[in-house]
Amino acid sequence: MGATQSDALVFFGATGDLAYKKIFPALQAMAGRGTLTVPVIGVAKAGWTLDQLRARAQDSVEKYGGLDRAAFDKLCGLLHYVDGDYNDSATFEVLRRKLGDTKHPAHYLAIPPPLFGPVVEQLARSGCAAGARVIVEKPFGEDLASARALNRILLGSFVEADIFRIDHYLGKRPVHNMLFSRFSNPILEAFWNRTFVESVQMTMAEDFGIQGRGGFYDATGAIRDVIQNHLFQIVSNLAM
């Protein structure tokens, strides 16, 4: 698809933790900067209505970043909602109708990893994958074999250039600042090497538990969720 701009954003997991803490504040910020002008379709299985999703979005931005009334109202005007089971083809038929005449939607999978494959296959069967992009959150598989199996599913419905495998944690400002501190600070740059650095200690501190994420952690666990993704990638950035 090349540089063609997406003309809709579909995010699966619209009622989940990642949407609440990260996606809605980011969408409001984009609306405020004038870079979000396309329909935004949230998909989840929660038995909710669009008004309930808008209320959730407002609670999200008030808690994580602050409410910008003009930007939030613009976001609400773009927001749509599809409620349904990810394993039910009827959910994706509704999504196809919501997409209307859009040609290049972007599908963001902010959902538990076991659902990546089934959702991608449903997107393909419903025609929602045609001309589209897909953004896959971590963790990408449970091991090498499952990662390869997921890759085969993705490549069966999307071309490589339209597949984005991401870890939202690497978008955090402190992570970006770490790279600037390492390479742009002449004092640190001079001695940040194995000759002078004996050890590196990393602490990931959070002030919340697994509330609302019990099902995810029961299947995935903190080691796979945090250590093999967020922290190993930060170590890679530090060591490179």
Side-chain angles (χ1 to χ4, degrees):
M1 188 162 55
T4 303
Q5 183 171 331
S6 296
D7 53 7
L9 172 64
V10 181
F11 69 107
F12 294 84
T15 62
D17 185 73
L18 183 57
Y20 185 67
K21 292 176 179 172
K22 300 295 181 184
I23 297 175
F24 283 122
L27 292 174
Q28 178 186 253
M30 291 174 65
R33 291 194 296 266
T35 55
L36 183 67
T37 59
V38 301
V40 177
I41 305 171
V43 186
K45 183 186 178 183
W48 285 16
T49 65
L50 176 58
D51 286 341
Q52 287 174 300
L53 186 66
R54 286 172 173 162
R56 171 81 165 177
Q58 180 164 337
D59 188 49
S60 163
V61 299
E62 287 175 347
K63 188 170 182 179
Y64 297 99
L67 175 66
D68 178 334
R69 176 50 65 183
F72 184 75
D73 287 347
K74 182 178 179 182
L75 171 59
C76 283
L78 298 170
L79 193 60
H80 304 267
Y81 181 57
V82 174
D83 192 275
D85 193 315
Y86 298 139
N87 292 302
D88 187 351
S89 61
T91 302
F92 293 82
E93 291 168 7
V94 175
L95 174 59
R96 179 62 264 173
R97 291 195 294 272
K98 287 279 188 184
L99 286 169
D101 59 358
T102 59
K103 303 297 183 185
H104 305 296
H107 301 289
Y108 181 12
L109 309 187
I111 52 180
L115 293 172
F116 292 161
V119 166
V120 168
E121 290 172 335
Q122 291 278 19
L123 288 172
R125 283 195 289 266
S126 62
C128 294
R133 294 182 172 98
V134 64
I135 303 121
V136 185
E137 269 285 357
K138 60 84 208 166
F140 195 91
E142 298 182 354
D143 51 26
L144 180 59
S146 59
R148 285 173 170 168
L150 175 56
N151 218 37
R152 285 194 295 271
I153 293 173
L154 287 166
L155 291 170
S157 303
F158 297 88
V159 298
E160 177 61 41
D162 293 332
I163 300 170
F164 297 83
R165 305 164 185 83
I166 71 166
D167 180 350
H168 62 271
Y169 203 82
L170 298 185
K172 287 179 176 287
R173 187 168 296 170
V175 177
H176 289 182
N177 289 347
M178 179 184 71
L179 296 179
F180 283 111
S181 298
R182 164 67 179 87
F183 293 108
S184 301
N185 186 317
I187 297 175
L188 287 178
E189 200 280 332
F191 64 79
W192 193 309
N193 58 62
R194 64 185 181 181
T195 303
F196 301 104
V197 178
E198 182 179 77
S199 65
V200 175
Q201 177 177 317
M202 241 185 334
T203 301
M204 179 179 173
E206 295 183 329
D207 59 0
F208 57 90
I210 63 169
Q211 56 267 34
R213 299 184 293 167
F216 171 74
Y217 268 96
D218 189 45
T220 303
I223 290 177
R224 189 174 292 134
D225 176 44
V226 173
I227 295 177
Q228 80 168 29
N229 299 284
H230 303 332
L231 300 187
F232 275 5
Q233 290 185 106
I234 292 176
V235 168
S236 297
N237 281 339
L238 280 167
M240 281 192 299

